Amino acid sequence: VSMKGYWSQPSLSRDFTLLAVVVLFVLFLISVWVTYSTYSHYSKEVASELETESKIIEHTLATEMQNASYLLSALGKQLILEEARDPTKLAGVLKSFDNKGFIYSILSWINTDQKLIVSSNKGVLDNAVDLSDRDYVKKATTDPWKMQIGRPIEGRVSERWVIPVSMGITDYTGKFIGTIMLSIDINTLSEQLSRLIKKDGLSFAIVSKTLIPLTQVSDDKNFVTNNFPTQKLVNVNFSDKPSGLLTYGSLFWGSGNYAYYKTSADYPYIILLGYNAANAK
């Protein structure tokens, strides 16, 4: 019997085998579709939860910045009344506004030469500290009564890592008379933010628009670099897409991280959140 004749003859076993193969293939496709659909739905849920957490962080950060702005403005109006600008009197005024319960407790006065001469915790300094190299001090001089935010520094007076904010002050005639600086303690800010996060397995960091780390809450010291490679962040067009998932976890749950970013609407910050289901309780 020729091979051609063999394939043309009916064969129950052959047809059953072909049917079984087709059924298995269809089941495989259905399984892949169900798995992917479930994974996609799960990823959207994670993104939604991370968005909610990022809004909480952003709101808290914005509130602290607004409080700092109000404090600087109120203090500036008080200092206008001190016509003599006597350093000893200035120290007393700064100390009266210093509240140790807040995360922004250290207040400083910078004269027109851009030198820090008085602080709320050390009074009148024996040696003035030159801050003319700080951008937030320069901007305060040219744009008074508007809060300027600097990058994290180790305070020369406080010796703690802080986010410095400043506000230039003018008198009633519009003459520039100096700058008030306020230091936001980064450790205290981090502790405050960490208490707001309820989701297990979640880590986060706040970086400047130039990707300088401001604060971080994570067991991984390299959280930002491990989850948000610099090149990936640089390639993001934050104007067109101010928030979203940068990386997705593995299709096989329990492995891989979800990396989410959100730019602050009012301040030059980017909130980075990472979620690993394997670390969730």
Side-chain angles (χ1 to χ4, degrees):
V1 180
S2 68
M3 185 64 67
K4 181 178 180 180
Y6 171 80
W7 282 106
S8 64
Q9 295 176 6
S11 172
L12 183 61
S13 60
R14 185 191 68 198
D15 292 345
F16 179 80
T17 300
L18 290 175
L19 178 61
V21 170
V22 171
V23 170
L24 289 175
F25 181 70
V26 171
L27 289 176
F28 172 75
L29 292 179
I30 293 175
S31 176
V32 170
W33 179 80
V34 170
T35 300
Y36 179 78
S37 297
T38 305
Y39 166 74
S40 179
H41 177 72
Y42 176 74
S43 296
K44 289 180 180 178
E45 285 187 342
V46 170
S48 178
E49 292 175 352
L50 294 180
E51 180 182 13
T52 299
E53 298 287 1
S54 70
K55 288 181 178 179
I56 294 173
I57 296 173
E58 181 182 22
H59 175 73
T60 302
L61 184 63
T63 298
E64 294 300 343
M65 290 300 173
Q66 289 170 3
N67 290 340
S69 181
Y70 294 151
L71 178 58
L72 289 175
S73 181
L75 180 54
K77 293 175 182 178
Q78 179 66 32
L79 292 178
I80 291 177
L81 302 177
E82 300 293 331
E83 297 180 1
R85 315 278 185 259
D86 178 76
T88 303
K89 291 183 178 180
L90 287 174
V93 175
L94 293 180
K95 189 173 181 60
S96 69
F97 276 78
D98 190 328
N99 188 324
K100 301 302 181 183
F102 289 127
I103 66 174
Y104 37 84
S105 59
I106 299 175
L107 298 159
S108 306
W109 176 255
I110 302 167
N111 63 17
T112 54
D113 294 328
Q114 299 183 6
K115 292 183 178 180
L116 192 159
I117 60 174
V118 181
S119 71
S120 60
N121 64 334
K122 293 192 175 183
V124 181
L125 303 184
D126 294 331
N127 298 306
V129 180
D130 187 359
L131 297 180
S132 59
D133 60 336
R134 304 293 171 85
D135 288 341
Y136 59 90
V137 175
K138 295 178 181 177
K139 292 178 181 178
T141 304
T142 58
D143 194 6
W145 295 107
K146 181 179 179 182
M147 189 173 75
Q148 309 295 336
I149 304 173
R151 67 180 186 179
I153 59 171
E154 185 175 14
R156 296 179 182 178
V157 175
S158 67
E159 298 181 349
R160 296 178 64 119
W161 280 95
V162 298
I163 300 173
V165 296
S166 64
M167 181 177 288
I169 306 301
T170 57
D171 62 15
Y172 294 115
T173 66
K175 178 183 177 181
F176 179 78
I177 61 175
T179 299
I180 310 168
M181 185 175 73
L182 177 156
S183 301
I184 300 177
D185 188 281
I186 291 179
N187 288 336
T188 305
L189 176 62
S190 299
E191 291 173 3
Q192 182 173 326
L193 292 174
S194 65
R195 291 194 292 268
L196 300 174
I197 301 301
K198 305 301 181 182
K199 188 174 180 62
D200 292 330
L202 181 66
S203 299
F204 73 88
I206 300 175
V207 301
S208 69
K209 288 293 180 66
T210 55
L211 307 184
I212 298 174
L214 300 178
T215 183
Q216 175 179 307
V217 176
S218 175
D219 294 332
D220 181 4
K221 293 182 179 180
N222 299 316
F223 164 70
V224 174
T225 55
N226 288 342
N227 294 277
F228 298 87
T230 301
Q231 193 57 50
K232 281 193 174 183
L233 285 174
V234 169
N235 291 337
V236 175
N237 187 329
F238 296 114
S239 298
D240 293 339
K241 194 174 182 182
S243 63
L245 281 173
L246 194 64
T247 61
Y248 292 77
S250 172
L251 186 63
F252 301 98
W253 299 347
S255 61
N257 294 322
Y258 287 85
Y260 182 90
Y261 71 90
K262 177 177 176 57
T263 57
S264 174
D266 302 310
Y267 299 99
Y269 298 138
I270 304 172
I271 300 169
L272 307 176
L273 296 100
Y275 173 68
N276 189 336
N279 294 334
K281 297 178 181 179

